[in-house]
Amino acid sequence: MSLPGLAEALAGLATRGEVMAYGDLARALALPNPGSIARLTAALEAMMIEDTATGRPMRAVLCRAKLNDLPAAGFFELATQLGRFDGQDPVGFVASERAALFNAASLR
């Protein structure tokens, strides 16, 4: 599943070195309620699969939960299933993925 404007929004975040809460991103993409977060999450999961298949950092890491700076639990579950996360040190894993995205964006 893809959402119009999602890839561009995440590229903008990477260029600026920023992250965004899921709800804020859903609103920025003008996703209608109810179900906006579910649609956003499904699109982010599809991107995670695509990013893993192409060897890129996972762009979904630029989303954060409402109450902290880390992605939601589902991000880590899928990252584990994809063989990208070993279940240890989620903070370090997120920092590494974000740094890779920020660095790649700065090289463009």
Side-chain angles (χ1 to χ4, degrees):
M1 167 184 201
S2 67
L3 289 175
L6 177 59
E8 294 81 7
L10 294 175
L13 289 172
T15 298
R16 295 186 304 274
E18 298 175 354
V19 298
M20 185 176 277
Y22 292 95
D24 293 339
L25 183 55
R27 283 186 290 284
L29 295 172
L31 297 177
N33 279 315
S36 62
I37 300 298
R39 285 191 298 281
L40 176 60
T41 301
L44 289 168
E45 289 174 350
M47 290 180 101
M48 289 174 69
I49 294 167
E50 176 187 328
D51 290 343
T52 296
T54 59
R56 292 187 304 231
M58 291 184 288
R59 294 170 283 178
V61 78
L62 298 176
C63 291
R64 64 171 183 78
K66 187 176 185 177
L67 299 177
N68 64 45
D69 194 45
L70 295 177
F75 169 84
F76 294 102
E77 292 168 10
L78 183 55
T80 299
Q81 291 172 14
L82 294 171
R84 297 282 294 264
F85 178 55
D86 63 6
Q88 306 296 312
D89 191 17
V91 173
F93 173 68
V94 166
S96 176
E97 287 289 308
R98 286 179 179 166
L101 284 166
F102 298 156
N103 290 335
S106 71
L107 297 175
R108 289 189 208 134

